[in-house]
Amino acid sequence: ALREAAGGRVVRYDASLECELRQRATLAADLRRALTDGEFHLLYQPVVALPGGELDGVESLVRWRRPTGEVVSPADFIPVAEDTGLIVELGAWILDTACARAATWPGLRSVAVNVSARQLLDPALPDVVAAALSRHGVPPSRLTIEITETAVFGGGRALATVKALSALGVSIALDDFGTGHSSLGLLRTCPVDAIKVDKSFVDGLGGTPEQEAIVTALTGIAETMGLRTVAEGVETAEQARRLHQLGYRHAQGFHFARPLPAEAIDDLLRQRQPAAA
Ligand code: C2E
Ligand code: MG
Ligand code: MG
Ligand code: MG
């Protein structure tokens, strides 16, 4: 329905907005209960070496299974968990769970955990990470914390937290690299060990020469600075082949493996053969 706004401007009256707000409040309450009831679990997506596809590390990705059996994507609930602050508690559970698994995977170079902007504003985060590592006897060097450029853009407390995390000895990876603010500038101010080149750049391969030039330049800069580069969202053999040609040594994506339950990673480590889709 359309309503006449006070200034004579025609605005759309949206009954679905109220509905959406109510849904969000319900979701927030459900999430709190889900944490107590153990409805979250982690999947682990292999990060592989190019060109052979040997398993190098894993990235943990959270899932929420409702009592109905429906599995909810993090894209749908992480923003709500951030708004309500529940991400701090949920994030601590994720770190502890990932570290517990990392302890059982000594042959795996690294286990990565995503940390959201709101978590970086919590000055206690480095202590939470250090406690999870020592609880499970995992050396800091085997944990990678994935942050986004946007979360640390502007410096302040988030940047201070990242510096404290780095001082612990954990690796810092810049996720979705190239899509946020100040991608390159951040490499000067923020302690970074790895960049994860966003899927959108991988999707651009085989397009214009300009697109390939960007993909090449990103790994060129990173390697010169001594950073690892991981190409994200690799879905085809052709993309993998081209990325290797352009100088990429590590990749992640459905072409190699989907996010998998921990038991499937156990199997891959037992076999120690290329993680194939
Ligand atoms: P991200 O960290 O960039 O994770 C990569 C996402 O891309 C994952 O989606 C993964 O399943 C998906 N992906 C991997 N390979 C491919 C591919 O070849 N093709 C396509 N189309 N997608 C691929 P997911 O698991 O749904 O996670 C989405 C985002 O939610 C993550 O993006 C991350 O920002 C956030 N997230 C996931 N787990 C956590 C967590 O434990 N904590 C926090 N704070 N955020 C998380
Ligand atoms: Mg990530
Ligand atoms: Mg990513
Ligand atoms: Mg991404």
Side-chain angles (χ1 to χ4, degrees):
L2 290 175
R3 265 188 186 173
E4 202 72 23
R9 212 159 40 91
V10 176
V11 295
R12 187 176 287 277
Y13 170 74
D14 198 353
S16 74
L17 178 65
E18 198 192 319
C19 177
E20 199 183 303
L21 287 173
R22 202 177 302 126
Q23 272 176 4
R24 241 175 128 79
T26 311
L27 186 59
D30 284 355
L31 280 172
R32 204 162 297 118
R33 187 193 39 74
L35 192 57
T36 330
D37 293 358
E39 292 174 14
F40 293 102
H41 67 278
L42 299 184
L43 294 181
Y44 301 87
Q45 185 177 31
V47 176
V48 305
L50 292 174
E54 298 87 7
L55 183 62
D56 176 66
V58 293
E59 174 181 8
S60 63
L61 295 159
V62 68
R63 296 291 181 268
W64 173 23
R65 191 182 293 112
R66 284 176 171 280
T68 57
E70 180 204 1
V71 176
V72 189
S73 148
D76 294 328
F77 67 82
I78 292 285
V80 181
E82 283 214 292
D83 285 353
T84 60
L86 188 77
I87 191 68
V88 170
E89 220 179 310
L90 175 60
W93 178 86
I94 290 167
L95 279 160
D96 188 73
T97 305
C99 286
R101 286 298 180 180
T104 71
W105 295 329
L108 205 57
R109 190 191 56 80
S110 174
V111 173
V113 172
N114 291 283
V115 159
S116 68
R118 174 70 171 71
Q119 287 174 275
L120 289 176
L121 294 179
D122 175 14
L125 184 67
D127 290 340
V128 172
V129 170
L133 288 167
S134 75
R135 192 177 304 125
H136 300 289
V138 176
S141 60
R142 294 195 52 234
L143 180 68
T144 298
I145 298 288
E146 295 194 7
I147 61 172
T148 60
E149 303 155 274
T150 317
V152 277
F153 176 72
R157 193 189 282 177
L159 184 59
T161 305
V162 175
K163 286 179 174 166
L165 287 169
S166 181
L168 284 178
V170 306
S171 290
I172 306 295
L174 276 180
D175 208 349
D176 308 334
F177 191 80
T179 61
H181 304 282
S182 174
S183 302
L184 293 176
L186 214 52
L187 297 181
R188 290 185 305 185
T189 54
C190 186
V192 176
D193 303 283
I195 64 172
K196 301 192 73 175
V197 174
D198 192 66
K199 181 180 191 310
S200 54
F201 296 102
V202 174
D203 289 340
L205 288 174
T208 64
E210 288 79 5
Q211 282 173 313
E212 296 221 337
I214 292 172
V215 176
T216 309
L218 287 179
T219 193
I221 292 166
E223 298 260 328
T224 305
M225 294 180 73
L227 312 180
R228 301 165 55 86
T229 341
V230 181
E232 283 193 300
V234 179
E235 294 184 343
T236 69
E238 177 55 22
Q239 287 172 338
R241 192 191 58 79
R242 190 72 186 128
L243 284 163
H244 179 244
Q245 263 179 2
L246 298 178
Y248 281 74
R249 308 224 184 118
H250 296 98
Q252 185 178 351
F254 295 170
H255 170 62
F256 298 102
R258 295 204 165 239
L260 302 167
E263 294 70 30
I265 303 297
D266 292 339
D267 291 342
L268 286 175
L269 282 167
R270 259 196 299 273
Q271 299 158 14
R272 264 298 173 181
Q273 65 190 22

